[in-house]
Amino acid sequence: MGLSRRLQADLWIILLSAIWGCTFVVLKRALDDISPMLLVLVRFTLAAPLLWLLVPAGALQPGALRGGAVTGLLLFLGFAAQTIGIQWTTPARSGFITGMYLVFTPLLAVLVKRRWPSVDSLAGVAMATAGLFLLTQPAGSGAGFGRGEILTLLCAAAFAGHLLAVDHYTRLFDKSGIAFLQVAAVAVLALPCLALETPRLQVTLRLMAALGVMAVLATAIAFYVLNTVQSWTTPTRAAIIFAAEPVFAALTSWLAEGERLTAGALAGAGLIVAGMLSAELSPFSRRRASDEAAA
């Protein structure tokens, strides 16, 4: 007897969480050999044609270009801020702060839908904010709240907007078509932004391996798999599993980089994850899950 589709989706999402969690260390190391915007450009330029090969005929429907542009712009802002920001923070800290997009999503939805935040959402924000304070305290973690953390927090806000935009446009257009268009849009947007930095490139085996992991595994294949299995489960269930992503980031950073979080920083990381879960269990998220299940 085969596994149910929901269980298959859970297993795939756990695997994606592990892959994306591990890429924080890969990204940090890759920046020794390549400048941030050039890395974003190369990563998504490689990923776009691979995704194109996986898009079925007829998936690029009329009108989908706008959805791809909007989701692509938000995705670009998120990855640009994250890639630049991780230069001045650690993989584990970047992972936990990025994960706060799950806290920001219900709050941003309040602005879009003009509804007052639920108690669950507010509790999630309070816990995540307290966790961020503990995670970034100089006395507790040795680094403080600097430009790396600020940029990563902006990345989380952009990813929250991206999640809402994807939720909207994939109800109107084919999911795989939107996935390709947004990845292609990131590559297009990254090209002119090279003027904002001094491009730097040193071709090494480490960089080639990192680009393979980030472009092929963590972008093209991951986006395709996610768009395939997300209809087998609910957004809330998926988001709860994705709360494990920063935990994988911290574990990978500890194993590969020897990064150790102090007791205070660990407490902060735990509060951020608790805040993520609380926000995703809010009435907004449950309504979003019910809407998708009925669609």
Side-chain angles (χ1 to χ4, degrees):
M1 185 175 179
L3 299 176
S4 68
R5 279 199 160 187
R6 174 164 287 193
L7 181 55
Q8 290 180 56
D10 290 349
L11 294 175
W12 277 114
I13 292 170
I14 290 170
L15 179 60
L16 291 179
S17 298
I19 291 171
W20 283 335
C22 291
T23 57
F24 286 92
V25 168
V26 175
L27 173 61
K28 180 79 171 179
R29 290 184 172 183
L31 290 171
D32 290 336
D33 301 319
I34 189 171
S35 55
M37 291 311 306
L38 183 56
L39 174 55
V40 174
L41 173 63
V42 174
R43 173 178 180 172
F44 284 86
T45 299
L46 291 174
L50 293 174
L51 259 177
W52 169 256
L53 295 175
L54 298 173
V55 174
L60 298 180
Q61 302 153 298
L65 187 60
R66 179 180 178 182
V70 172
T71 56
L73 173 61
L74 292 166
L75 192 64
F76 166 74
L77 292 173
F79 272 105
Q82 183 188 69
T83 304
I84 296 171
I86 202 172
Q87 296 176 104
W88 301 298
T89 188
T90 68
R93 287 156 67 94
S94 180
F96 282 110
I97 296 172
T98 298
M100 289 183 67
Y101 78 91
L102 293 176
V103 178
F104 293 152
T105 301
L107 289 185
L108 190 57
V110 167
L111 297 177
V112 174
K113 297 177 180 293
R114 300 181 183 277
R115 294 194 184 113
W116 185 252
S118 68
V119 173
D120 290 337
S121 293
L122 291 175
V125 171
M127 284 188 284
T129 301
L132 182 63
F133 176 80
L134 290 173
L135 181 68
T136 58
Q137 275 299 288
S141 60
F145 193 82
R147 53 185 172 176
E149 288 74 26
I150 292 171
L151 284 167
T152 309
L153 203 58
L154 292 175
C155 152
F159 282 165
H162 173 258
L163 187 64
L164 289 176
V166 167
D167 185 59
H168 172 71
Y169 285 108
T170 53
R171 294 174 186 274
L172 304 176
F173 306 107
D174 182 87
K175 291 181 174 65
S176 59
I178 292 294
F180 163 72
L181 287 170
Q182 65 183 310
V183 168
V186 173
V188 171
L189 290 167
L191 183 58
C193 289
L194 287 180
L196 301 177
E197 70 177 17
T198 301
R200 173 176 51 84
L201 175 63
Q202 181 179 353
V203 179
T204 64
L205 287 176
R206 175 179 60 186
L207 178 60
M208 294 299 100
L211 289 173
V213 170
M214 289 187 288
V216 179
L217 190 60
T219 305
I221 293 176
F223 271 69
Y224 178 77
V225 169
L226 180 61
N227 281 321
T228 299
V229 305
Q230 67 181 4
S231 61
W232 301 349
T233 186
T234 66
T236 299
R237 188 180 179 93
I240 290 172
I241 298 173
F242 275 129
E245 182 183 331
V247 178
F248 282 115
L251 179 61
T252 306
S253 188
W254 172 60
L255 292 173
E257 302 287 307
E259 179 184 0
R260 296 180 182 274
L261 297 176
T262 63
L266 282 171
L271 280 172
I272 289 175
V273 173
M276 291 159 58
L277 294 174
S278 178
E280 280 305 309
L281 291 172
S282 70
F284 160 74
S285 295
R286 290 195 291 269
R287 281 196 300 271
R288 184 158 49 98
S290 299
D291 289 346
E292 181 160 305

mmCIF file of all heavy atoms in Angstrom, residues 4 6 24 44 64 82 91 96 102 107 111 114 122 125 165 178 183 203 207 211 237 257 261 280:
data_model
loop_
_atom_site.group_PDB
_atom_site.id
_atom_site.type_symbol
_atom_site.label_atom_id
_atom_site.label_comp_id
_atom_site.label_asym_id
_atom_site.label_seq_id
_atom_site.Cartn_x
_atom_site.Cartn_y
_atom_site.Cartn_z
ATOM 1 N N SER A 4 0.089 7.971 1.351
ATOM 2 C CA SER A 4 -0.923 8.935 0.942
ATOM 3 C C SER A 4 -0.237 10.172 0.369
ATOM 4 O O SER A 4 0.931 10.448 0.657
ATOM 5 C CB SER A 4 -1.785 9.345 2.146
ATOM 6 O OG SER A 4 -1.018 10.098 3.068
ATOM 7 N N ARG A 6 -0.786 13.245 1.087
ATOM 8 C CA ARG A 6 -0.447 14.203 2.139
ATOM 9 C C ARG A 6 0.862 13.821 2.811
ATOM 10 O O ARG A 6 1.704 14.690 3.077
ATOM 11 C CB ARG A 6 -1.575 14.294 3.164
ATOM 12 C CG ARG A 6 -1.233 15.170 4.359
ATOM 13 C CD ARG A 6 -2.449 15.573 5.159
ATOM 14 N NE ARG A 6 -3.242 16.562 4.444
ATOM 15 C CZ ARG A 6 -4.221 17.267 5.014
ATOM 16 N NH1 ARG A 6 -4.518 17.078 6.287
ATOM 17 N NH2 ARG A 6 -4.892 18.148 4.320
ATOM 18 N N PHE A 24 22.287 28.007 3.431
ATOM 19 C CA PHE A 24 22.801 29.206 4.093
ATOM 20 C C PHE A 24 24.322 29.118 4.231
ATOM 21 O O PHE A 24 25.036 30.098 4.006
ATOM 22 C CB PHE A 24 22.137 29.396 5.461
ATOM 23 C CG PHE A 24 20.720 29.882 5.369
ATOM 24 C CD1 PHE A 24 19.656 28.991 5.342
ATOM 25 C CD2 PHE A 24 20.446 31.239 5.298
ATOM 26 C CE1 PHE A 24 18.341 29.438 5.245
ATOM 27 C CE2 PHE A 24 19.132 31.705 5.207
ATOM 28 C CZ PHE A 24 18.083 30.796 5.173
ATOM 29 N N PHE A 44 20.054 32.396 -10.778
ATOM 30 C CA PHE A 44 18.725 32.358 -11.383
ATOM 31 C C PHE A 44 18.782 32.256 -12.908
ATOM 32 O O PHE A 44 17.846 31.742 -13.525
ATOM 33 C CB PHE A 44 17.907 33.564 -10.917
ATOM 34 C CG PHE A 44 17.405 33.405 -9.513
ATOM 35 C CD1 PHE A 44 18.199 33.771 -8.429
ATOM 36 C CD2 PHE A 44 16.164 32.847 -9.258
ATOM 37 C CE1 PHE A 44 17.756 33.590 -7.126
ATOM 38 C CE2 PHE A 44 15.706 32.670 -7.963
ATOM 39 C CZ PHE A 44 16.512 33.039 -6.890
ATOM 40 N N ALA A 64 -0.451 35.687 -17.408
ATOM 41 C CA ALA A 64 0.414 35.172 -16.341
ATOM 42 C C ALA A 64 1.690 35.995 -16.194
ATOM 43 O O ALA A 64 2.335 35.962 -15.144
ATOM 44 C CB ALA A 64 0.767 33.716 -16.609
ATOM 45 N N GLN A 82 18.969 38.980 1.198
ATOM 46 C CA GLN A 82 19.540 37.851 1.939
ATOM 47 C C GLN A 82 20.994 37.605 1.541
ATOM 48 O O GLN A 82 21.863 37.396 2.395
ATOM 49 C CB GLN A 82 18.727 36.584 1.679
ATOM 50 C CG GLN A 82 19.197 35.374 2.455
ATOM 51 C CD GLN A 82 18.475 34.113 2.012
ATOM 52 O OE1 GLN A 82 18.677 33.634 0.901
ATOM 53 N NE2 GLN A 82 17.614 33.607 2.870
ATOM 54 N N PRO A 91 25.390 32.011 9.096
ATOM 55 C CA PRO A 91 24.335 31.207 8.462
ATOM 56 C C PRO A 91 23.171 30.900 9.392
ATOM 57 O O PRO A 91 22.011 30.955 8.974
ATOM 58 C CB PRO A 91 25.081 29.923 8.052
ATOM 59 C CG PRO A 91 26.496 30.354 7.865
ATOM 60 C CD PRO A 91 26.729 31.403 8.909
ATOM 61 N N PHE A 96 17.398 31.889 10.907
ATOM 62 C CA PHE A 96 16.299 32.175 11.838
ATOM 63 C C PHE A 96 15.607 33.493 11.507
ATOM 64 O O PHE A 96 14.377 33.592 11.580
ATOM 65 C CB PHE A 96 16.817 32.189 13.281
ATOM 66 C CG PHE A 96 17.026 30.818 13.848
ATOM 67 C CD1 PHE A 96 18.297 30.335 14.094
ATOM 68 C CD2 PHE A 96 15.946 29.983 14.126
ATOM 69 C CE1 PHE A 96 18.503 29.066 14.598
ATOM 70 C CE2 PHE A 96 16.126 28.707 14.631
ATOM 71 C CZ PHE A 96 17.409 28.249 14.865
ATOM 72 N N LEU A 102 7.350 33.926 7.971
ATOM 73 C CA LEU A 102 6.113 33.255 8.358
ATOM 74 C C LEU A 102 5.346 34.071 9.401
ATOM 75 O O LEU A 102 4.129 33.954 9.514
ATOM 76 C CB LEU A 102 6.415 31.859 8.910
ATOM 77 C CG LEU A 102 6.974 30.853 7.896
ATOM 78 C CD1 LEU A 102 7.319 29.550 8.599
ATOM 79 C CD2 LEU A 102 5.998 30.608 6.775
ATOM 80 N N LEU A 107 0.530 39.313 9.124
ATOM 81 C CA LEU A 107 0.436 40.756 9.357
ATOM 82 C C LEU A 107 0.283 41.516 8.041
ATOM 83 O O LEU A 107 -0.515 42.455 7.937
ATOM 84 C CB LEU A 107 1.680 41.252 10.095
ATOM 85 C CG LEU A 107 1.833 40.841 11.557
ATOM 86 C CD1 LEU A 107 3.053 41.505 12.155
ATOM 87 C CD2 LEU A 107 0.596 41.205 12.360
ATOM 88 N N LEU A 111 -2.975 43.997 6.218
ATOM 89 C CA LEU A 111 -2.960 45.245 5.454
ATOM 90 C C LEU A 111 -3.674 45.085 4.122
ATOM 91 O O LEU A 111 -4.410 45.966 3.681
ATOM 92 C CB LEU A 111 -1.513 45.695 5.222
ATOM 93 C CG LEU A 111 -0.703 46.030 6.476
ATOM 94 C CD1 LEU A 111 0.724 46.386 6.094
ATOM 95 C CD2 LEU A 111 -1.350 47.169 7.253
ATOM 96 N N ARG A 114 -7.382 44.188 5.044
ATOM 97 C CA ARG A 114 -7.975 45.165 5.959
ATOM 98 C C ARG A 114 -8.727 44.499 7.110
ATOM 99 O O ARG A 114 -9.869 44.829 7.405
ATOM 100 C CB ARG A 114 -8.891 46.121 5.191
ATOM 101 C CG ARG A 114 -8.171 46.903 4.108
ATOM 102 C CD ARG A 114 -9.097 47.845 3.399
ATOM 103 N NE ARG A 114 -8.422 48.532 2.313
ATOM 104 C CZ ARG A 114 -7.666 49.625 2.458
ATOM 105 N NH1 ARG A 114 -7.496 50.140 3.645
ATOM 106 N NH2 ARG A 114 -7.093 50.182 1.405
ATOM 107 N N LEU A 122 -0.587 38.171 16.693
ATOM 108 C CA LEU A 122 0.082 39.127 17.571
ATOM 109 C C LEU A 122 1.011 38.406 18.549
ATOM 110 O O LEU A 122 2.107 38.896 18.846
ATOM 111 C CB LEU A 122 -0.957 39.950 18.330
ATOM 112 C CG LEU A 122 -1.783 40.929 17.478
ATOM 113 C CD1 LEU A 122 -2.862 41.591 18.332
ATOM 114 C CD2 LEU A 122 -0.877 41.982 16.851
ATOM 115 N N VAL A 125 4.112 37.490 16.643
ATOM 116 C CA VAL A 125 4.982 38.646 16.460
ATOM 117 C C VAL A 125 5.743 38.958 17.742
ATOM 118 O O VAL A 125 6.955 39.238 17.724
ATOM 119 C CB VAL A 125 4.167 39.883 16.010
ATOM 120 C CG1 VAL A 125 5.033 41.129 16.022
ATOM 121 C CG2 VAL A 125 3.595 39.663 14.628
ATOM 122 N N ALA A 165 1.695 36.921 -2.750
ATOM 123 C CA ALA A 165 1.539 37.109 -4.192
ATOM 124 C C ALA A 165 1.420 35.768 -4.906
ATOM 125 O O ALA A 165 0.588 35.596 -5.805
ATOM 126 C CB ALA A 165 2.719 37.907 -4.744
ATOM 127 N N ILE A 178 3.942 30.119 -13.306
ATOM 128 C CA ILE A 178 4.307 31.204 -12.398
ATOM 129 C C ILE A 178 5.697 30.949 -11.807
ATOM 130 O O ILE A 178 6.506 31.879 -11.655
ATOM 131 C CB ILE A 178 3.268 31.355 -11.277
ATOM 132 C CG1 ILE A 178 1.930 31.860 -11.848
ATOM 133 C CG2 ILE A 178 3.767 32.292 -10.192
ATOM 134 C CD1 ILE A 178 1.985 33.265 -12.412
ATOM 135 N N VAL A 183 11.229 33.037 -11.513
ATOM 136 C CA VAL A 183 12.671 32.769 -11.504
ATOM 137 C C VAL A 183 13.356 33.525 -12.645
ATOM 138 O O VAL A 183 14.433 34.119 -12.458
ATOM 139 C CB VAL A 183 12.928 31.246 -11.601
ATOM 140 C CG1 VAL A 183 14.399 30.963 -11.903
ATOM 141 C CG2 VAL A 183 12.520 30.567 -10.301
ATOM 142 N N VAL A 203 36.745 31.667 -10.302
ATOM 143 C CA VAL A 203 36.207 30.344 -10.625
ATOM 144 C C VAL A 203 36.970 29.277 -9.840
ATOM 145 O O VAL A 203 38.173 29.081 -10.036
ATOM 146 C CB VAL A 203 36.295 30.071 -12.138
ATOM 147 C CG1 VAL A 203 35.740 28.669 -12.449
ATOM 148 C CG2 VAL A 203 35.530 31.132 -12.916
ATOM 149 N N LEU A 207 33.031 27.089 -5.789
ATOM 150 C CA LEU A 207 31.979 27.928 -6.351
ATOM 151 C C LEU A 207 31.111 27.134 -7.317
ATOM 152 O O LEU A 207 29.878 27.269 -7.317
ATOM 153 C CB LEU A 207 32.586 29.143 -7.059
ATOM 154 C CG LEU A 207 31.580 30.077 -7.729
ATOM 155 C CD1 LEU A 207 30.601 30.650 -6.708
ATOM 156 C CD2 LEU A 207 32.300 31.198 -8.471
ATOM 157 N N LEU A 211 27.131 26.688 -6.892
ATOM 158 C CA LEU A 211 26.160 27.078 -7.910
ATOM 159 C C LEU A 211 25.286 25.888 -8.323
ATOM 160 O O LEU A 211 24.092 26.037 -8.582
ATOM 161 C CB LEU A 211 26.872 27.651 -9.133
ATOM 162 C CG LEU A 211 27.501 29.036 -8.939
ATOM 163 C CD1 LEU A 211 28.329 29.427 -10.162
ATOM 164 C CD2 LEU A 211 26.428 30.085 -8.668
ATOM 165 N N ARG A 237 -0.148 23.584 6.932
ATOM 166 C CA ARG A 237 0.616 22.375 7.240
ATOM 167 C C ARG A 237 2.029 22.477 6.656
ATOM 168 O O ARG A 237 3.019 22.142 7.317
ATOM 169 C CB ARG A 237 -0.121 21.161 6.658
ATOM 170 C CG ARG A 237 0.462 19.805 7.064
ATOM 171 C CD ARG A 237 -0.352 18.681 6.413
ATOM 172 N NE ARG A 237 0.163 17.363 6.733
ATOM 173 C CZ ARG A 237 -0.257 16.614 7.734
ATOM 174 N NH1 ARG A 237 -1.185 17.090 8.537
ATOM 175 N NH2 ARG A 237 0.244 15.414 7.950
ATOM 176 N N GLU A 257 30.685 24.873 10.036
ATOM 177 C CA GLU A 257 31.417 26.090 10.378
ATOM 178 C C GLU A 257 31.838 26.144 11.844
ATOM 179 O O GLU A 257 32.589 27.037 12.235
ATOM 180 C CB GLU A 257 30.547 27.323 10.077
ATOM 181 C CG GLU A 257 30.093 27.421 8.628
ATOM 182 C CD GLU A 257 31.235 27.811 7.708
ATOM 183 O OE1 GLU A 257 31.892 28.819 7.982
ATOM 184 O OE2 GLU A 257 31.466 27.093 6.723
ATOM 185 N N LEU A 261 25.704 28.610 19.089
ATOM 186 C CA LEU A 261 24.837 29.626 19.663
ATOM 187 C C LEU A 261 24.870 29.510 21.181
ATOM 188 O O LEU A 261 24.831 28.406 21.727
ATOM 189 C CB LEU A 261 23.405 29.451 19.155
ATOM 190 C CG LEU A 261 23.183 29.627 17.646
ATOM 191 C CD1 LEU A 261 21.733 29.331 17.294
ATOM 192 C CD2 LEU A 261 23.566 31.022 17.196
ATOM 193 N N GLU A 280 1.411 30.965 12.028
ATOM 194 C CA GLU A 280 0.844 30.096 11.000
ATOM 195 C C GLU A 280 -0.382 29.338 11.490
ATOM 196 O O GLU A 280 -1.110 28.759 10.688
ATOM 197 C CB GLU A 280 1.902 29.118 10.493
ATOM 198 C CG GLU A 280 2.845 29.737 9.490
ATOM 199 C CD GLU A 280 2.099 30.354 8.319
ATOM 200 O OE1 GLU A 280 1.253 29.672 7.714
ATOM 201 O OE2 GLU A 280 2.358 31.526 8.003
#
